[in-house]
Protein backbone atom coordinates (compact mmCIF):
# COMPACT_ATOMS: atom_id res chain seq x y z
CA UNK A 1 0.00 0.00 0.00
CA UNK A 2 1.30 3.47 -0.79
CA UNK A 3 2.63 5.44 2.17
CA UNK A 4 2.34 9.19 2.37
CA UNK A 5 5.24 10.73 4.30
CA UNK A 6 6.78 14.19 4.49
CA UNK A 7 10.21 14.73 2.84
CA UNK A 8 11.98 15.08 6.21
CA UNK A 9 10.78 11.70 7.47
CA UNK A 10 13.29 8.83 7.12
CA UNK A 11 11.70 6.00 9.12
CA UNK A 12 8.08 4.84 9.36
CA UNK A 13 6.13 1.95 10.80
CA UNK A 14 3.36 0.45 8.70
CA UNK A 15 0.10 0.78 10.63
CA UNK A 16 -1.27 -2.28 8.84
CA UNK A 17 1.50 -4.86 9.58
CA UNK A 18 3.78 -3.02 12.06
CA UNK A 19 6.82 -3.43 9.78
CA UNK A 20 9.54 -0.84 10.30
CA UNK A 21 10.66 0.78 7.06
CA UNK A 22 13.39 3.17 6.03
CA UNK A 23 12.42 5.71 3.37
CA UNK A 24 15.06 6.09 0.65
CA UNK A 25 15.04 8.92 -1.86
CA UNK A 26 17.32 8.78 -4.86
CA UNK A 27 16.91 11.19 -7.78
CA UNK A 28 13.21 11.19 -8.60
CA UNK A 29 12.49 7.79 -7.04
CA UNK A 30 11.26 7.15 -3.53
CA UNK A 31 11.20 3.64 -2.06
CA UNK A 32 11.28 1.86 1.28
CA UNK A 33 13.71 -0.66 2.69
CA UNK A 34 12.92 -3.16 5.42
CA UNK A 35 14.84 -2.32 8.59
CA UNK A 36 15.17 -6.02 9.41
CA UNK A 37 17.51 -6.44 6.42
CA UNK A 38 19.46 -3.42 7.62
CA UNK A 39 19.62 -4.86 11.12
CA UNK A 40 21.21 -8.06 9.78
CA UNK A 41 23.74 -5.98 7.87
CA UNK A 42 24.48 -3.94 11.00
CA UNK A 43 25.01 -7.11 13.04
CA UNK A 44 27.39 -8.46 10.38
CA UNK A 45 29.24 -5.15 10.25
CA UNK A 46 29.51 -5.05 14.04
CA UNK A 47 30.95 -8.59 14.03
CA UNK A 48 33.43 -7.60 11.31
CA UNK A 49 34.39 -4.51 13.30
CA UNK A 50 34.95 -6.61 16.44
CA UNK A 51 37.21 -8.94 14.44
CA UNK A 52 39.18 -6.02 12.99
CA UNK A 53 39.57 -4.52 16.47
CA UNK A 54 40.84 -7.85 17.82
CA UNK A 55 43.30 -8.19 14.93
CA UNK A 56 44.52 -4.65 15.58
CA UNK A 57 44.87 -5.43 19.28
CA UNK A 58 46.89 -8.56 18.41
CA UNK A 59 49.19 -6.49 16.18
CA UNK A 60 49.57 -3.87 18.94
CA UNK A 61 50.39 -6.52 21.57
CA UNK A 62 53.02 -8.05 19.25
CA UNK A 63 54.58 -4.63 18.53
CA UNK A 64 54.68 -3.82 22.25
CA UNK A 65 56.32 -7.19 22.94
CA UNK A 66 58.97 -6.54 20.29
CA UNK A 67 59.72 -3.19 21.96
CA UNK A 68 59.76 -4.77 25.42
CA UNK A 69 62.14 -7.52 24.23
CA UNK A 70 64.66 -4.90 23.14
CA UNK A 71 64.87 -3.80 26.77
CA UNK A 72 65.99 -7.30 27.78
CA UNK A 73 68.63 -7.66 25.06
CA UNK A 74 72.31 -7.64 25.81
CA UNK A 75 75.03 -7.08 23.24
CA UNK A 76 78.10 -9.30 23.26
CA UNK A 77 81.64 -8.29 22.29
CA UNK A 78 80.92 -9.04 18.63
CA UNK A 79 77.83 -6.84 18.56
CA UNK A 80 75.32 -9.72 18.55
CA UNK A 81 72.11 -9.09 20.42
CA UNK A 82 70.96 -11.80 22.79
CA UNK A 83 67.90 -12.33 24.96
CA UNK A 84 68.22 -13.89 28.42
CA UNK A 85 67.42 -17.58 28.58
CA UNK A 86 67.37 -20.29 31.20
CA UNK A 87 70.27 -21.97 29.41
CA UNK A 88 72.47 -18.88 29.41
CA UNK A 89 71.75 -18.31 33.10
CA UNK A 90 72.68 -21.90 33.91
CA UNK A 91 75.87 -21.85 31.81
CA UNK A 92 76.87 -18.49 33.30
CA UNK A 93 76.25 -19.82 36.80
CA UNK A 94 78.33 -22.95 36.20
CA UNK A 95 81.20 -20.87 34.83
CA UNK A 96 80.85 -18.54 37.79
CA UNK A 97 80.95 -21.48 40.17
CA UNK A 98 84.14 -22.84 38.55
CA UNK A 99 85.71 -19.37 38.73
CA UNK A 100 84.64 -19.01 42.36
CA UNK A 101 86.30 -22.31 43.32
CA UNK A 102 89.44 -21.24 41.48
CA UNK A 103 89.44 -17.85 43.26
CA UNK A 104 88.83 -19.43 46.68
CA UNK A 105 91.81 -21.69 45.99
CA UNK A 106 93.87 -18.62 45.08
CA UNK A 107 92.68 -16.88 48.24
CA UNK A 108 93.62 -19.86 50.42
CA UNK A 109 97.04 -20.01 48.77
CA UNK A 110 97.56 -16.28 49.20
CA UNK A 111 96.60 -16.39 52.87
CA UNK A 112 98.82 -19.41 53.62
CA UNK A 113 101.86 -17.90 51.86
CA UNK A 114 101.67 -14.53 53.56
CA UNK A 115 100.89 -12.71 50.31
CA UNK A 116 100.56 -8.92 50.43
CA UNK A 117 97.27 -7.95 52.10
CA UNK A 118 95.91 -6.31 48.94
CA UNK A 119 95.89 -9.63 47.07
CA UNK A 120 93.24 -11.37 49.28
CA UNK A 121 91.13 -8.20 49.25
CA UNK A 122 91.32 -8.14 45.46
CA UNK A 123 90.21 -11.80 45.26
CA UNK A 124 87.32 -11.22 47.68
CA UNK A 125 86.25 -8.20 45.60
CA UNK A 126 86.29 -10.34 42.45
CA UNK A 127 84.19 -13.00 44.21
CA UNK A 128 81.63 -10.37 45.21
CA UNK A 129 81.44 -9.01 41.64
CA UNK A 130 81.13 -12.56 40.29
CA UNK A 131 78.32 -13.33 42.74
CA UNK A 132 76.47 -10.16 41.82
CA UNK A 133 76.74 -10.94 38.09
CA UNK A 134 75.48 -14.50 38.57
CA UNK A 135 72.50 -13.28 40.62
CA UNK A 136 71.78 -10.56 38.05
CA UNK A 137 71.84 -13.16 35.27
CA UNK A 138 69.31 -15.30 37.13
CA UNK A 139 67.15 -12.27 37.86
CA UNK A 140 67.21 -11.08 34.24
CA UNK A 141 66.34 -14.56 32.94
CA UNK A 142 63.44 -14.86 35.38
CA UNK A 143 62.17 -11.37 34.61
CA UNK A 144 62.30 -12.05 30.85
CA UNK A 145 60.51 -15.40 31.27
CA UNK A 146 57.74 -13.69 33.29
CA UNK A 147 57.34 -10.97 30.66
CA UNK A 148 57.25 -13.58 27.87
CA UNK A 149 54.56 -15.57 29.71
CA UNK A 150 52.48 -12.42 30.23
CA UNK A 151 52.74 -11.62 26.51
CA UNK A 152 51.78 -15.18 25.57
CA UNK A 153 48.71 -14.97 27.88
CA UNK A 154 47.57 -11.67 26.31
CA UNK A 155 48.18 -13.00 22.83
CA UNK A 156 46.44 -16.30 23.62
CA UNK A 157 43.35 -14.49 24.92
CA UNK A 158 43.07 -12.48 21.70
CA UNK A 159 43.66 -15.55 19.51
CA UNK A 160 41.00 -17.42 21.46
CA UNK A 161 38.49 -14.63 20.83
CA UNK A 162 39.40 -14.63 17.13
CA UNK A 163 38.94 -18.42 16.99
CA UNK A 164 35.50 -18.07 18.58
CA UNK A 165 34.57 -15.64 15.82
CA UNK A 166 35.98 -18.00 13.18
CA UNK A 167 38.35 -15.26 12.07
CA UNK A 168 41.66 -17.12 12.12
CA UNK A 169 43.27 -18.24 8.89
CA UNK A 170 45.52 -21.24 9.00
CA UNK A 171 47.14 -22.45 12.17
CA UNK A 172 48.02 -19.21 13.97
Amino acid sequence: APIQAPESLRFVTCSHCNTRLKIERSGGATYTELLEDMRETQVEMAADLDTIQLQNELDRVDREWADEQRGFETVDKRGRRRLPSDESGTVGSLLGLVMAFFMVGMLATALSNDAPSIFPIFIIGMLVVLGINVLKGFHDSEKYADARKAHERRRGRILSELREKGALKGDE
Side-chain angles (χ1 to χ4, degrees):
I3 299 174
Q4 299 296 321
E7 284 288 322
S8 62
L9 197 61
R10 291 188 37 123
F11 300 98
V12 294
T13 302
C14 176
S15 59
H16 176 68
C17 64
N18 265 351
T19 302
R20 294 195 43 162
L21 302 168
K22 179 181 178 187
I23 300 172
E24 293 284 341
R25 294 179 177 86
S26 177
T30 302
Y31 57 95
T32 59
E33 185 178 324
L34 282 174
L35 281 181
E36 299 308 315
D37 293 341
M38 289 176 52
R39 207 169 276 135
E40 286 177 24
T41 303
Q42 287 174 336
V43 168
E44 289 172 10
M45 287 174 62
D48 289 346
L49 180 61
D50 285 346
T51 298
I52 290 169
Q53 287 173 331
L54 285 170
Q55 289 168 336
N56 286 341
E57 185 177 351
L58 183 64
D59 289 342
R60 180 187 54 79
V61 163
D62 287 343
R63 278 191 313 273
E64 287 174 356
W65 174 238
D67 289 343
E68 189 175 354
Q69 276 184 308
R70 283 187 206 100
F72 288 105
E73 288 179 342
T74 56
V75 180
D76 67 13
K77 292 176 185 176
R78 295 183 179 154
R80 293 179 295 200
R81 296 181 174 280
R82 298 183 186 271
L83 289 168
S85 68
D86 294 336
E87 296 82 26
S88 65
T90 303
V91 169
S93 298
L94 289 174
L95 288 174
L97 189 61
V98 168
M99 287 178 63
F101 280 125
F102 178 71
M103 288 179 178
V104 167
M106 287 175 51
L107 180 62
T109 302
L111 291 174
S112 67
N113 290 333
D114 290 329
S117 60
I118 191 75
F119 192 66
I121 293 171
F122 176 72
I123 293 174
I124 291 171
M126 287 178 62
L127 282 169
V128 168
V129 169
L130 179 65
I132 289 171
N133 282 330
V134 166
L135 291 175
K136 184 182 180 313
F138 272 126
H139 176 73
D140 290 349
S141 292
E142 187 175 290
K143 197 172 171 184
Y144 175 72
D146 290 344
R148 188 182 69 236
K149 287 176 189 171
H151 165 71
E152 288 170 357
R153 278 192 305 273
R154 284 190 306 262
R155 193 171 202 285
R157 179 189 54 79
I158 297 167
L159 288 173
S160 175
E161 288 183 48
L162 285 168
R163 269 188 215 98
E164 287 174 14
K165 294 181 177 299
L168 281 183
K169 296 176 220 134
D171 206 22
E172 233 179 293

